[in-house]
Amino acid sequence: MKILIIDSQFFTRAGLIHLCTSYTSELSIFEAPTFDLASEYLQHSSQYNLIFLDVDLPDAELRPALAQIKHYAPTAHVVLFCWSRPMTEVRQAMTAGVRSYLPKDSSADEAKHAVRILLRNDRYVPDDAKTTDIPTRHNQAENFLSPRQLEIMQLLAQGLSNKEIATILGITEGTIRVHLSAIFKAIKVSNRTEATLWYLLRQKRLVS
C-alpha cells in the first residue's frame, strides 16, 4: 500500500507513521509538510492508495487541495486528518471528495481502530457521539477558522504587523499572508481593519 501524509507537524506525521507501520511493514509512506511538496509527489509518483490530509496547511485551502488530489490521484482514499471539527464542516469536506475522517484528538484505542480499518481501505468515520455538531460560542464563520488562524486574529487585533506576528508564531510572513487571505474569505471581510473590528466585536459579545 502506498500512503501520502500531508501535514505540517513533524511529530504528528511521525506518530501516524509509527501507528501504521506497527500493523504491517508492507507500506510505502511519503511525508509532505506542505501542499507544494505533496503536489510534487502527486504529479511525479504513481497512484497513492491512502492520503491523509490536514485542513490547517499553511499553503493551501481544503477545497482547492482536494480538487488537485482528485485530479492527480482520482482513486485515492482521502482521509480528513485534523483536530475535531463540527460535523457540518466534515460533511462539506466529504462532499468535496474526502472519504474518511480521523480526528487528531482521538483516544489511543480509537486511533488504533481507525488505522486498522483504513489500512484495509475501508471507510472510517467516528461514532455519532464524536461527529455531532460541536456546541460552540463562535458563529458559523469562525467555525471555519483553524486554531492557528484564531491565534493570528488575536495578534492582528493587537495591531501587530505581519512581520511581528510571523516572529511570534515562528512562521514566515508569506504563511501569514496566506492565512489572512483565508480568514478574510471565511469571515467575509476585505481588509485588516474590518477583520480586527469583527474580532473585537465578537470578543465584546462573548464577555458581555
Side-chain angles (χ1 to χ4, degrees), residues 4-194:
L4 175 60
I5 301 173
I6 311 173
D7 191 291
S8 61
Q9 299 176 336
F10 166 76
F11 283 113
T12 303
R13 298 194 310 272
L16 182 57
I17 291 170
H18 175 75
L19 189 55
C20 289
T21 54
S22 68
Y23 291 110
T24 176
S25 60
E26 297 179 359
L27 298 175
S28 179
I29 302 178
F30 295 78
E31 303 176 63
T34 66
F35 194 77
D36 278 345
L37 180 57
S39 182
E40 290 293 319
Y41 284 147
L42 290 166
Q43 293 179 57
H44 299 105
S45 299
S46 58
Q47 184 65 45
Y48 291 91
N49 304 106
L50 195 59
I51 298 177
F52 291 88
L53 175 65
D54 187 18
V55 300
D56 295 324
L57 294 170
D59 61 341
E61 294 184 25
L62 181 61
R63 283 186 175 274
L66 286 171
Q68 193 166 150
I69 290 172
K70 187 175 181 179
H71 176 73
Y72 289 111
T75 63
H77 182 148
V78 180
V79 182
L80 188 67
F81 182 51
C82 60
W83 299 104
S84 290
R85 300 276 172 152
M87 193 54 191
T88 50
E89 187 174 343
V90 176
R91 291 192 191 101
Q92 290 175 353
M94 289 183 170
T95 300
V98 166
R99 187 177 173 195
S100 294
Y101 169 46
L102 176 57
K104 290 182 180 179
D105 49 354
S106 299
S107 69
D109 287 341
E110 289 169 337
K112 291 174 183 177
H113 176 63
V115 167
R116 284 196 298 267
I117 290 174
L118 292 169
L119 290 177
R120 297 198 302 262
N121 201 30
D122 291 331
R123 182 173 180 265
Y124 176 80
V125 177
D127 294 338
D128 291 342
K130 295 294 184 181
T131 56
T132 51
D133 288 333
I134 300 170
T136 177
R137 295 182 300 174
H138 304 321
N139 64 17
Q140 185 177 10
E142 195 168 355
N143 285 339
F144 286 87
L145 298 186
S146 69
R148 173 66 85 190
Q149 289 168 343
L150 290 172
E151 285 181 324
I152 291 172
M153 280 298 303
Q154 183 179 18
L155 295 172
L156 184 70
Q158 295 175 23
L160 300 182
S161 66
N162 286 3
K163 183 177 181 179
E164 290 170 325
I165 295 172
T167 299
I168 291 171
L169 297 180
I171 54 181
T172 67
E173 287 185 69
T175 298
I176 296 296
R177 288 193 292 271
V178 170
H179 277 308
L180 286 176
S181 177
I183 290 169
F184 294 169
K185 183 178 179 180
I187 65 177
K188 296 179 171 54
V189 301
S190 57
N191 56 52
R192 299 167 67 93
T193 301
E194 292 177 359

